[in-house]
Amino acid sequence: MKDTEQNAGGGQPTQLLVCVKCRRGQETPEDDRRPGQALYDRIVALDLPDGVQVAPVECLQNCDHGCTVALRGDSDKWTYVFANVDEADHPEMILDGAARYHATRDGLIPWRERPEHFKRNCVARIPPLSQPLEP
């Protein structure tokens, strides 16, 4: 086991947050299911990796950049926000990335092990709460 990995059963669960209001920057009739909701529905229909929980969120404020998801863990982990997620093609990739994130101690997936989409579509990386602020 690498030094950045932890026992998948240990630590707090990883939360995969899925914006269910996402329209992928397009007009969607109010009675149609939005792409973000379709993404959430497809993800929760799959077998979730150990230690990963999925939660719908109302808005991640990234409306013009495709469906958006976020990964967060305990107070020692970085939080990531990823955009341009396709509701039909990416659910399995998102869960693979969530499992890799969960396996880390600090939330930093080694570059070579990240899904390709994560490498190119990271909107934000937010420091862990436990990281001291620089003066």
Side-chain angles (χ1 to χ4, degrees):
M1 189 179 303
K2 294 181 183 176
D3 62 348
T4 59
E5 292 180 353
Q6 67 181 12
N7 180 342
Q12 294 187 6
T14 289
Q15 295 178 325
L16 170 60
L17 308 175
V18 181
C19 177
V20 295
K21 296 295 184 182
C22 176
R23 294 181 179 179
R24 278 193 283 128
Q26 304 169 4
E27 284 298 316
T28 303
E30 288 300 319
D31 59 344
D32 272 359
R33 187 171 59 152
R34 295 178 182 194
Q37 183 67 53
L39 174 65
Y40 174 79
D41 293 344
R42 286 190 173 115
I43 288 173
V44 296
L46 297 170
D47 290 330
L48 298 180
D50 289 339
V52 175
Q53 300 173 340
V54 181
V57 294
E58 289 297 314
C59 187
L60 290 172
Q61 291 288 296
N62 196 40
C63 303
D64 291 332
H65 302 283
C67 293
T68 301
V69 299
L71 287 171
R72 70 179 176 186
D74 63 30
S75 63
D76 292 326
K77 283 193 171 187
W78 286 79
T79 296
Y80 283 88
V81 180
F82 299 101
N84 298 311
V85 177
D86 183 86
E87 68 275 14
D89 295 335
H90 291 151
E92 291 87 359
M93 177 274 300
I94 294 295
L95 289 179
D96 175 57
R100 292 172 188 271
Y101 175 89
H102 183 70
T104 68
R105 184 179 324 272
D106 55 9
L108 301 174
I109 305 168
W111 184 257
R112 290 184 188 129
E113 295 176 23
R114 292 179 191 178
E116 195 62 34
H117 191 84
F118 280 21
K119 293 177 185 177
R120 307 287 176 239
N121 292 281
C122 183
V123 173
R125 183 176 92 150
I126 303 160
L129 289 172
S130 63
Q131 182 172 323
L133 297 175
E134 304 263 336

